[in-house]
Amino acid sequence: MEQNKKIMQLNEFELIESIQSGNISICVIGIGRIGLPTALSFANSGLFTIGVDINSKLVEMINSKIFPLKDEPGYDVIFDKVINQKFYASTKIRDVVPNSDVIVLSLPTPMDENNIPDYSALLSVGKQLGELLTKDSVVIIESTVEPGFIENEFINSIENSERKLVAGKDFAIGVCPETANPGQIMNDFEKLPRLVGAIDDHTSNVIMKIYKHVFTVDLISMPNCKTANAVKLTTNVFRDLNIAFVNELAILFEKVGIDIMTVLEAAKSKYNFQVHYAGPGVGGPCLPVNSYQMINLAKKMGLNTLKSVETARIINESMPDHVIDLLHDAFIESGKSLENANVLILGISYKPDVKDIQITPAEVIIKKLKFLKINVLIYDPYFKSTSVFNLQTESNLIEALQKADALIIVTAHKEFHNLDPIFLKSKMKSPIVIDSKCIINYKTVKNSGLIYRGLGRGKI
Ligand SMILES: NC(=O)c1ccc[n+]([C@@H]2O[C@H](COP(=O)([O-])OP(=O)(O)OC[C@H]3O[C@@H](n4cnc5c(N)ncnc54)[C@H](O)[C@@H]3O)[C@@H](O)[C@H]2O)c1
């Protein structure tokens, strides 16, 4: 910032002028799936932005003008526009933070093998911020955390440094939880309202002014950080719960001989029904983790359990077993043995049309198939001719089909939407199809010669 006053000392008029003239400097720590588009948006709005990341290969790639998020439409163009002009990447947090007015954190918040939230990246950066923050800089946490984590743990990680900085006095802090959907981040950044919560009203106002300049979406002011984080978790846990509900119905409807997709399509006509779809499980870095964050919070607060959320997790985590049950059932009908069969997995991403396998149900299904001594083949348009889960992936769909005794559709990538039963029958070694996303047209299966099991459809 050129003027001497720090951002928190500016009056309303000076603040707006500073933002509009690109006179404040931004640092985004963690430039992965969410942080990089965020940093690019800041830079594209005219604010000088540096992205900091411990992944030196990623930083090198970005500074060599190679855009790493190929499945994120729109940001490639912005990247080309701002790289080495308004945006740079760096591994050197010590050089960048002291020269930044605003420090945005988009660090990972995964969970460990016992489903306990792992906030170590945030806490380790918090400790460094305690040594590096300049007076009156603003820290904004976009990472998803459980309500109360900022107030009870993260602020302490900054304040506990030798400098004994005090939040609200020496530095300002707030949250703006990220809610974008991978694969459509630009669309969501342009349309989805954002929540802002902060340690005090003045900080909240400063953050709102900056975000309004960058994102041009509605901003919703929250009374504090924990309420903003509670909203973010609530929306995702809601989805996890509703998916568990349809997954359970799917298993029931298979037994009754009802097609879940027909039910959901008609149910959508009721104004207060919000549709969710059944599937082989719920993956990704958000939904499963967010449910466990809520469960963790409940335990911390002395509640024994959060029954509905825990039950949803149990149901959603059992779905890979159900997919294998459908496979068993189809092999019984075919009279063939599953042992040593070639089973082709179509799609390993945790959701359609993105290159992302974090907590994907495909991994669980593959492990279970291997345990059953089944040869697993993988075809995914985003992972061609590479090694994933210790398997070499296929490069050509038709060649993969020719080797397959059965296939399991796990991810509804666009490339699989028009798979025709007669085409599959003509190409596959044996025509067994498990459609865990119900993407094959129900009506075309009959008389096609496929041995077909759709999740939530059962035998056709
Ligand atoms: N991906 C999503 O769908 C999504 C959507 C909304 C919110 N979120 C939340 O946003 C946050 C970031 O998620 P993401 O998907 O972008 O994660 P990511 O793993 O894609 O990116 C995180 C980046 O942080 C870097 N990093 C890790 N530790 C670091 C450290 N100590 N210092 C500097 N950099 C470090 C990593 O190298 C990585 O590049 C998480 O809290 C996540 O829950 C994610």
Side-chain angles (χ1 to χ4, degrees):
M1 207 158 52
E2 276 163 27
Q3 73 268 0
N4 294 327
K5 277 193 196 171
K6 296 288 294 189
I7 185 169
M8 291 302 291
Q9 297 160 351
L10 302 175
N11 65 34
E12 192 93 354
F13 173 76
E14 292 168 330
L15 176 63
I16 291 171
E17 194 174 78
S18 253
I19 296 168
Q20 285 178 350
S21 56
N23 219 0
I24 61 171
S25 51
I26 312 289
C27 148
V28 177
I29 307 182
I31 42 172
R33 165 71 66 176
I34 297 293
L36 180 57
T38 301
L40 293 174
S41 294
F42 275 96
N44 195 41
S45 78
L47 303 177
F48 183 76
T49 306
I50 300 189
V52 172
D53 205 289
I54 45 168
N55 182 345
S56 53
K57 274 197 188 139
L58 175 69
V59 167
E60 228 169 81
M61 192 176 177
I62 289 172
N63 287 337
S64 311
K65 299 191 177 184
I66 301 167
F67 181 60
L69 293 176
K70 301 281 183 245
D71 55 355
E72 219 45 86
Y75 272 103
D76 46 350
V77 178
I78 295 182
F79 179 81
D80 289 345
K81 186 176 145 199
V82 298
I83 187 68
N84 295 352
Q85 305 284 331
K86 284 279 178 192
F87 177 64
Y88 293 83
S90 170
T91 53
K92 299 195 170 80
I93 189 169
R94 295 194 164 273
D95 294 348
V96 180
V97 168
N99 294 308
S100 303
D101 299 302
V102 177
I103 296 99
V104 177
L105 306 185
S106 187
L107 291 157
T109 48
M111 57 189 179
D112 68 13
E113 60 285 2
N114 299 314
N115 301 327
I116 304 295
D118 172 2
Y119 297 122
S120 56
L122 274 174
L123 292 173
S124 122
V125 167
K127 202 170 159 200
Q128 295 176 75
L129 293 182
E131 296 162 21
L132 301 172
L133 286 178
T134 50
K135 175 110 178 108
D136 282 335
S137 41
V138 183
V139 179
I140 305 167
I141 301 95
E142 288 205 3
S143 301
T144 309
V145 296
E146 60 200 60
F149 168 78
I150 301 299
E151 292 88 342
N152 303 328
E153 295 180 55
F154 184 70
I155 288 180
N156 290 346
S157 73
I158 301 179
E159 291 183 334
N160 285 346
S161 80
E162 276 180 17
R163 291 166 72 209
K164 297 277 170 244
L165 300 180
V166 176
K169 180 168 155 272
D170 299 309
F171 67 97
I173 187 159
V175 301
C176 185
E178 183 46 61
T179 53
N181 227 340
Q184 54 172 66
I185 291 180
M186 175 164 284
N187 176 69
D188 289 353
F189 275 8
E190 284 171 358
K191 296 205 175 105
L192 286 184
R194 300 189 66 135
L195 311 159
V196 175
I199 193 165
D200 51 44
D201 289 347
H202 179 43
T203 307
S204 178
N205 182 44
V206 170
I207 297 175
M208 302 264 280
K209 292 275 180 315
I210 298 168
Y211 274 64
K212 193 75 208 162
H213 169 77
V214 177
F215 292 104
T216 64
V217 291
D218 286 343
L219 295 168
I220 305 173
S221 173
M222 293 279 113
N224 45 41
C225 298
K226 64 183 173 187
T227 310
N229 290 133
V231 177
K232 158 76 200 201
L233 282 199
T234 301
T235 55
N236 276 357
V237 175
F238 171 83
R239 279 175 47 68
D240 203 24
L241 245 77
N242 278 285
I243 295 168
F245 168 60
V246 282
N247 276 339
E248 211 171 25
L249 288 188
I251 294 170
L252 171 65
F253 290 171
E254 278 172 19
K255 294 196 182 301
V256 190
I258 295 171
D259 172 32
I260 184 108
M261 295 303 273
T262 310
V263 171
L264 294 176
E265 204 43 45
K268 268 159 52 178
S269 63
K270 177 83 193 288
Y271 65 90
N272 56 1
F273 180 80
Q274 189 166 16
V275 73
H276 288 77
Y277 293 100
V282 175
C286 291
L287 263 56
V289 181
N290 297 167
S291 284
Y292 281 114
Q293 286 173 324
M294 205 65 123
I295 292 167
N296 196 48
L297 175 66
K299 287 191 176 142
K300 275 189 194 162
M301 292 298 112
L303 299 179
N304 251 347
T305 168
L306 211 54
K307 277 195 204 112
S308 58
V309 187
E310 286 186 9
T311 307
R313 281 286 83 222
I314 291 168
I315 295 168
N316 289 338
E317 286 168 18
S318 73
M319 293 313 286
D321 283 324
H322 183 66
V323 172
I324 309 260
D325 287 348
L326 292 174
L327 183 72
H328 266 294
D329 194 43
F331 266 80
I332 290 170
E333 183 181 328
S334 76
K336 293 190 171 195
S337 161
L338 248 178
E339 198 167 311
N340 295 323
N342 287 338
V343 173
L344 172 64
I345 303 291
L346 286 192
I348 53 171
S349 296
Y350 79 87
K351 61 177 281 194
D353 306 321
V354 292
K355 185 180 182 181
D356 198 334
I357 51 171
Q358 293 179 75
I359 319 189
T360 175
E363 185 173 12
V364 184
I365 292 170
I366 289 167
K367 265 194 197 139
K368 288 178 187 284
L369 293 176
K370 281 185 179 168
F371 182 77
L372 293 169
K373 299 197 170 48
I374 290 165
N375 301 320
V376 180
L377 310 171
I378 295 173
Y379 176 80
D380 186 304
Y382 292 91
F383 297 91
K384 286 187 187 177
S385 303
T386 182
S387 173
V388 189
F389 310 135
N390 292 323
L391 291 168
Q392 190 61 27
T393 60
E394 301 291 318
S395 60
N396 180 291
L397 177 59
I398 293 183
E399 284 169 19
L401 289 172
Q402 284 164 345
K403 291 187 247 177
D405 295 304
L407 69 81
I408 306 178
I409 300 168
V410 175
T411 313
H413 286 312
K414 277 196 192 88
E415 185 177 340
F416 307 143
H417 280 202
N418 294 320
L419 282 176
D420 171 42
I422 293 174
F423 166 79
L424 290 174
K425 168 88 171 45
S426 71
K427 297 295 176 206
M428 292 175 69
K429 233 166 97 184
S430 67
I432 298 174
V433 171
I434 312 303
D435 183 2
S436 82
K437 294 302 299 177
C438 290
I439 58 172
I440 293 187
N441 186 335
Y442 190 67
K443 290 175 191 144
T444 59
V445 174
K446 238 185 180 124
N447 305 323
S448 66
L450 282 192
I451 299 177
Y452 175 89
R453 296 290 182 278
L455 196 152
R457 292 178 156 164
K459 195 171 171 177
I460 291 180

